[in-house]
Amino acid sequence: APWQGSSQFQWEIDLWGKLRENQRAALSGRNAAYFDLEAAKLVLISRIAEARFRLYRLRDEKRILKESVAAHEKILQVLKEQEGVGISSNTDTLRAIGEHQTLSRGVLELERLEQLAVAGLNTLRGRSGTPDPRGSLPVSPRPPGKSFAVLLQSHPTLLAQEERVRSAFHLEESTRLNLLPSLQFNAGAMGASNGFLLNDFQKWQTTFGPSLDLPVFDPARLAALEGKKSGTREVSAQYRETLFQILEEIEASYLNWESRYQQLATVENEFRALEEARSNVRATLKAGL
């Protein structure tokens, strides 16, 4: 049967560091992919935490609203009894019925939001069914007093963008060095036979020797260099945009954290005042009874 085979060997001397720049660009691209993965993990973790907190809050609100509905049902029963004996008017009873329906509708709305929160949480967790939130929310410590520089050094999104900038600069440098002369050593061998009847007429060809390339004024390589420069400027602009967004994100996070702590202190004072007022009303009600 006819056959044909060939082999080739090529070795280029990296005189100017062109291949080394390509390797550095590849390593920077690999690091950028790693930091992208870490950033995605952090985003997923934060979204799961946010979804769980929303689910806890909705369940607490539903529990409180159900207690209000139960208390309002007792009030409504008292009004109906008073209306039966002629103490109160039908208007008060109808108004109480309207308020009771409003509270019941609020419970149904919270149940709808709770089901949506469960579905969103299951989507983020990659699971199905109703999640069982065990225990209460952990007490979050106050954020450490770190400067912007320290936080930026550990921000995976910015680190990934920084690696992309490095990769773009290495590629641009490699393309620029590609305009310089290059020296290669090539070796090759090729053989073929037309068939069984012509087995004595086999063809063999071997090549060996150096090759020198002088592409200083190659238009294609000059155009490729301009394209790499444009890509470097684009990646640099994206890096600056990412940096400004992260600075705004960190500052907004600090401001929101401090504001939430102040709001929490205000709510705790309000809760203590309402709890004391509730105790006074209960004591007055028992004394009246």
Side-chain angles (χ1 to χ4, degrees):
W3 61 270
Q4 183 177 1
S6 63
S7 62
Q8 185 177 4
F9 170 78
Q10 185 181 61
W11 180 53
E12 180 178 354
I13 301 177
D14 195 14
L15 297 175
W16 320 108
K18 175 184 66 176
L19 302 180
R20 184 170 60 252
E21 293 296 330
N22 279 332
Q23 183 183 16
R24 291 175 178 176
L27 292 176
S28 297
R30 182 200 63 180
N31 294 336
Y34 169 77
F35 288 126
D36 282 336
L37 177 61
E38 293 300 317
K41 289 180 181 179
L42 290 179
V43 170
L44 180 60
I45 291 172
S46 63
R47 289 183 178 178
I48 290 177
E50 183 181 359
R52 289 179 67 89
F53 183 81
R54 186 185 304 113
L55 183 59
Y56 296 151
R57 180 176 58 83
L58 290 173
R59 288 180 176 178
D60 286 340
E61 290 181 0
K62 186 179 71 172
R63 176 181 56 80
I64 295 174
L65 195 57
K66 281 186 175 182
E67 293 177 357
S68 300
V69 170
H72 206 272
E73 287 179 352
K74 296 180 180 180
I75 296 175
L76 183 60
Q77 184 65 29
V78 172
L79 289 176
K80 289 181 178 180
E81 293 176 357
Q82 291 180 352
E83 181 184 357
V85 297
I87 298 178
S88 63
S89 63
N90 188 25
T91 303
D92 296 334
T93 305
L94 294 176
R95 187 182 296 111
I97 292 175
E99 294 176 357
H100 179 72
Q101 295 297 326
T102 301
L103 293 175
S104 300
R105 188 171 66 252
V107 173
L108 295 176
E109 178 66 16
L110 288 176
E111 289 179 350
R112 183 185 70 86
L113 295 177
E114 179 186 0
Q115 293 176 359
L116 292 177
V118 170
L121 181 58
N122 288 333
T123 301
L124 293 173
R125 296 166 64 240
R127 301 177 184 175
S128 60
T130 303
D132 183 18
R134 300 176 181 177
S136 58
L137 285 174
V139 179
S140 301
R142 296 181 63 86
K146 294 183 179 180
S147 62
F148 277 165
V150 176
L151 292 175
L152 290 177
Q153 288 176 0
S154 60
H155 202 292
T157 302
L158 187 63
L159 292 177
Q161 198 65 31
E162 183 179 344
E163 292 295 337
R164 290 191 181 92
V165 173
R166 287 197 181 97
S167 178
F169 273 103
H170 288 313
L171 288 176
E172 179 185 344
E173 182 66 15
S174 176
T175 307
R176 186 184 66 83
L177 295 175
N178 197 28
L179 297 174
L180 300 177
S182 61
L183 179 63
Q184 294 181 354
F185 289 92
N186 304 305
M190 182 183 68
S193 175
N194 293 329
F196 178 75
L197 295 178
L198 302 176
N199 194 23
D200 294 336
F201 297 94
Q202 296 180 357
K203 296 182 296 184
W204 290 93
Q205 181 180 359
T206 58
T207 59
F208 176 77
S211 63
L212 181 63
D213 191 12
L214 300 173
V216 180
F217 301 105
D218 189 352
R221 299 194 183 189
L222 290 174
L225 178 59
E226 294 299 325
K228 294 298 181 182
K229 289 181 179 179
S230 300
T232 302
R233 290 193 294 268
E234 180 182 0
V235 173
S236 300
Q238 293 176 356
Y239 174 80
R240 289 192 294 269
E241 181 181 0
T242 303
L243 175 61
F244 292 145
Q245 291 177 355
I246 291 176
L247 288 175
E248 181 183 1
E249 173 189 341
I250 295 175
E251 185 175 4
S253 299
Y254 270 122
L255 292 176
N256 288 331
W257 190 283
E258 294 297 332
S259 177
R260 295 301 183 189
Y261 261 97
Q262 294 176 3
Q263 294 179 22
L264 178 61
T266 304
V267 169
E268 289 176 350
N269 294 332
E270 179 183 358
F271 177 77
R272 285 193 292 268
L274 293 176
E275 187 67 23
E276 185 177 356
R278 177 172 173 270
S279 300
N280 294 337
V281 171
R282 278 185 172 272
T284 305
L285 178 60
K286 291 180 179 180
L289 293 176

